[in-house]
Amino acid sequence: MIKLILKYLPSIVIPTIASIILTMIYGTNLSPDDYGFFSLFTTSISIVTVILFNFMITTVLRFYRVKKEENQHVTFFSTFLLTSFLITVIVFLVTSVFIGMKIGLLFSISLLVSVFLSFYLNQMRSTDKHLTFNLFKAIIPSLNVLFVLYLTYSNNLNMWTVIFAMYIPMSIVVVIYTVKTIKKSEIKFKYNIRELSNAASYGFPLALAAMLNTVISGIDRYIINFHLNNHSVGIYSFAYRIAELSMINLTLVIILALYPQLIKIHDTQGRARAEHTLNEYLKLHIIITIPFVILVWFYGEEIISLIFHDYVDSAKILKYMILGAFLLSLSYYTNKSFELTKTNMIMVRLLALAALVNIILTWFLVPYYHLMGAIIATFVSYFVYVVFSIISARNILKVHFPYKLFALVSAINIIIVFIFKSIINNPILIEICLSATIVIFINGVLGFILYKRKVLNF
């Protein structure tokens, strides 16, 4: 299992480093209003993607390897790419009417390249082409950083150029890979409506689930913008970006390795073995993520206040947002119970409940409690989903939340941080660096001991 994680580690480490650099630049050179617009633009891309394309994207991850073994992969893959292109043309025509041709074109091109990139990445994951996958995941954010650095140096960084800096590198990589794939005859002008129909039957529940997940994590920005303003969206989104850096990227390191392996184990060794593997990964997840939750809770406010002066208000909400991000990371594991056993409609119903709770609470809490209202709503909705999904999966593919391990890891890390906060008061950066170093080291030792004692048994 560790080997699998290490195989995909560069695909997380390099984008995370790039994201840290970009966060530093955005936090010191973009106003909250500009960052709010940028966040709404990228969130809109994500929402349209999950609504219109996600049923095909998830189908590629699940079945491309099978189709390749049956020598049907070219028609299978080409059908989805051609369909996506046609849908994007329709999106362009519609958006041009409502938001203008120039913005509609920018939105549609950004949408198309991000969708094609998702197809290619899932194709690589399905066939375990981890080297190419890692290369893609490294090149795009690295080029993004270079573009943003140039724009910053030339004093041209704003809400529009930051969008270009994000999607131009993506476009370059997608175009080059598309041409290469066409030359290798892995993409042809072939179309099979049956493949689309099969994808719909398998992928629509997952697409609906992804859409509801996006509603839970993204609809709050639109409600905040409606009740408050773009500035508040920027403050909220920046805090979310910090929480995402410290939590979601850590989770993806595990999930990228987990899901293809879990599919293979479930299909070849049965449900019981897949259940065991899923729960062992969940234990590892607790050991890896809890230390960062504790560090962000105690030091996140100081870091933002010290470095990002325009986003001081983000510092006040970060410690609460990290708790919601932790619950979101747990949902990646509970989802697998339904995805593997093809009981996706149970997941959809639970996510619909959580999304409804989120929308209602956000709508009524934001006018009174502002950004804290949105955080409370998101936390409650994810808590509802995680608890009910664990209960609902008991007779399907059971998720055993490791309460004792959770308490042990939390207690150890809180004690470590309290000790350092009582010993070292200034300067704050030295305290943070020392605390983080000791926390990571002790949790590494703890993980090794648990592995040797068979508490972690992969």
Side-chain angles (χ1 to χ4, degrees), residues 372-398:
M372 273 304 300
I375 292 172
I376 292 168
T378 301
F379 179 85
V380 171
S381 61
Y382 275 125
F383 183 81
V384 166
Y385 175 71
V386 170
V387 170
F388 278 93
S389 60
I390 290 174
I391 294 171
S392 300
R394 283 181 299 181
N395 298 321
I396 302 171
L397 196 147
K398 192 171 183 179

Side-chain angles (χ1 to χ4, degrees), residues 50-51 54-55 203-215 344-345 347-349 351-352:
V50 297
I51 292 174
N54 208 66
F55 75 99
F204 265 130
L206 292 177
L208 189 55
M211 183 186 71
L212 292 168
N213 253 322
T214 305
V215 167
N344 297 320
M345 288 311 299
M347 176 172 64
V348 168
R349 287 194 292 269
L351 283 169

Side-chain angles (χ1 to χ4, degrees), residues 33-71:
D33 294 87
D34 281 353
Y35 191 77
F37 178 84
F38 172 64
S39 177
L40 288 174
F41 185 92
T42 54
T43 300
S44 299
I45 293 286
S46 298
I47 290 174
V48 174
T49 299
V50 297
I51 292 174
L52 298 179
F53 303 98
N54 208 66
F55 75 99
M56 295 180 286
I57 294 170
T58 54
T59 301
V60 168
L61 177 60
R62 183 66 176 86
F63 293 108
Y64 186 86
R65 178 177 58 86
V66 176
K67 291 293 182 178
K68 191 165 186 178
E69 291 172 356
E70 297 172 353
N71 201 28

